[in-house]
Amino acid sequence: MALRGSLRAGRALLRAPGPPARGLCGRPPAFGFLFDVDGVLVRGSQPVPAARRAFQRLTDGGGRLRVPVVFLTNAGNCMRSDKARELSRALGLQPPPPPAGFPTIEGVILFGEPVRWETSLQLIADVLLSNGNPGAQLQDVPYPHLPILACNMDLLWMAEAKMPRFGHGTFLLCLESIYKKVTGKELRYEALIGKPSPITYRYAQHLIQQQAEKQGWKAPIRHLYAVGDNPMSDVYGANLYNSYLKSAQQNQVQAGQKRSPQAASAQAEVSLELRNDCTSSVESCESILVCTGVFRPDGAAPRETGETVFHGHRDFCFEPSLLQASHIVQDVDEAVQLAFKKENWS
């Protein structure tokens, strides 16, 4: 789930009417932020103390954003407008008005882990084994089964508890194991979306650029700073997307140039449109890892190092070097200050 940083509507969480805010330095920003939510801005229902300080830096006296912001979370278990109101309250910002209406339902998607796992696992298995008609009894198991779209691969996430909680990636692991045990066949996905998928970052980049245009900020967005607490989803995803940005820049210089083995190993996960995008102004996506969530530098909680165990999804390629964050800071407020310093923007 990607939410634009404006708290005035369901799509956006901080935008206020009036002239565009340009910040104290008198020039428009050439960068934007992609903020993870759980473990970076909140822990369960409780805001991380540094989050409000960070957004005091990110907004002007009138409550308008000084730089473009997107909230990039894999927690898709609620409407985007509800998540906007939830973040508004947590960050001490003006909540958005109620949504005008609801979109038409066009399909079934796995967004997040349910409350009663056994019930959901049984229902999904019923649908797959009956080819979408649980009231029927089929003699043979239909295969290939109905399309499945999963939007969250996180094995773990951080709430109020001291230890990480099982995430939707764990639920997918259970579903895959049950389906194979019952049918003897592999569960297949139509697509895997959400961090660390580059498609998710491409969409977040689109929202960042769209937000900057609507605010009247003329400077092209050059740099993205992805702030997260989970090395496998947040850091891995940002670094992987950064490799695609570099690859696109190389393609601009020399058409048809072969990519590095690291970039080529994950090509199948991204569409041709993303690979061949040569019109974007964005040059880099730097990963910033905070210590208020899943990642703990002191080893107080399990760490996703990739040295002995891979916490990513079964169908996702693994490159250990992509788990190394560009920067490690204490919290989200330090992450904002770091980006401001790198951009010479106060």
Side-chain angles (χ1 to χ4, degrees):
M1 177 185 289
L3 301 174
R4 275 179 291 186
S6 137
L7 296 170
R8 299 288 300 173
R11 290 173 167 248
L13 292 191
L14 271 180
R15 190 179 50 192
R22 293 189 176 275
L24 300 178
C25 62
R27 57 184 173 87
F31 62 101
F33 287 99
L34 310 180
F35 285 118
D36 181 36
V37 176
D38 296 302
V40 175
L41 302 179
V42 298
R43 291 277 298 271
S45 60
Q46 301 300 314
V48 174
R52 291 199 176 192
R53 298 196 300 271
F55 274 83
Q56 288 174 352
R57 300 180 192 279
L58 291 169
T59 55
D60 65 8
R64 294 183 296 270
L65 280 171
R66 302 169 57 208
V67 298
V69 168
V70 162
F71 300 96
L72 190 59
T73 174
N74 277 350
N77 57 341
C78 67
M79 295 291 291
R80 185 162 53 177
S81 55
D82 293 336
K83 179 63 72 172
R85 285 192 292 273
E86 177 185 321
L87 286 176
S88 300
R89 289 191 294 268
L91 299 175
L93 302 166
Q94 182 179 357
F102 296 94
T104 302
I105 296 176
E106 298 179 349
V108 178
I109 306 174
L110 299 177
F111 280 111
E113 66 275 9
V115 175
R116 296 183 60 186
W117 286 34
E118 72 283 2
T119 300
S120 295
L121 289 169
Q122 181 69 71
L123 290 174
I124 295 171
D126 288 347
V127 170
L128 296 178
L129 297 177
S130 66
N131 205 32
N133 185 12
Q137 283 188 325
L138 302 183
Q139 292 183 346
D140 299 316
V141 174
Y143 199 81
H145 53 67
L146 294 175
I148 302 176
L149 182 67
C151 299
N152 182 343
M153 293 173 274
D154 288 356
L155 189 75
L156 303 170
W157 67 288
M158 206 68 188
E160 291 98 339
K162 299 298 183 181
M163 298 292 290
R165 304 293 87 189
F166 292 147
H168 191 238
T170 310
F171 178 78
L172 296 181
L173 182 62
C174 293
L175 178 61
E176 294 155 11
S177 300
I178 291 172
Y179 184 84
K180 185 169 184 179
K181 190 70 172 180
V182 171
T183 68
K185 298 178 172 63
E186 293 284 348
L187 188 81
R188 300 297 182 187
Y189 296 93
E190 190 77 8
L192 291 169
I193 307 174
K195 297 176 291 185
S197 169
I199 288 291
T200 300
Y201 286 84
R202 180 65 185 90
Y203 178 62
Q205 175 188 318
H206 166 73
L207 294 183
I208 285 282
Q209 293 173 313
Q210 188 179 69
Q211 185 183 148
E213 292 174 1
K214 288 188 175 181
Q215 291 285 3
W217 295 325
K218 301 300 183 181
I221 300 299
R222 300 294 186 190
H223 308 129
L224 298 176
Y225 295 93
V227 185
D229 71 305
N230 191 322
M232 184 55 233
S233 60
D234 302 319
V235 172
Y236 195 97
N239 289 344
L240 181 58
Y241 189 61
N242 188 61
S243 73
Y244 281 107
L245 292 173
K246 301 304 181 185
S247 179
Q249 294 168 21
Q250 292 174 4
N251 287 344
Q252 286 181 301
V253 176
Q254 183 176 357
Q257 179 179 354
K258 291 185 178 181
R259 296 176 176 84
S260 65
Q262 174 179 304
S265 65
Q267 290 282 24
E269 212 276 327
V270 173
S271 69
L272 184 64
E273 178 183 358
L274 174 59
R275 296 200 306 267
N276 293 339
D277 180 15
C278 298
T279 61
S280 172
S281 63
V282 175
E283 300 171 353
S284 66
C285 180
E286 294 191 33
S287 54
I288 304 179
L289 183 61
V290 300
C291 303
T292 53
V294 171
F295 175 78
R296 297 294 178 85
D298 57 4
R303 295 175 57 185
E304 297 182 79
T305 64
E307 296 173 356
T308 58
V309 61
F310 175 46
H311 283 186
H313 188 266
R314 173 199 71 185
D315 297 344
F316 209 82
C317 63
F318 181 50
E319 173 55 53
S321 64
L322 296 181
L323 287 172
Q324 305 302 316
S326 302
H327 310 279
I328 299 178
V329 298
Q330 181 59 39
D331 53 42
V332 64
D333 189 36
E334 287 190 17
V336 170
Q337 294 183 64
L338 171 67
F340 279 9
K341 183 178 180 180
K342 288 178 63 67
E343 297 290 331
N344 192 26
W345 205 88
S346 63

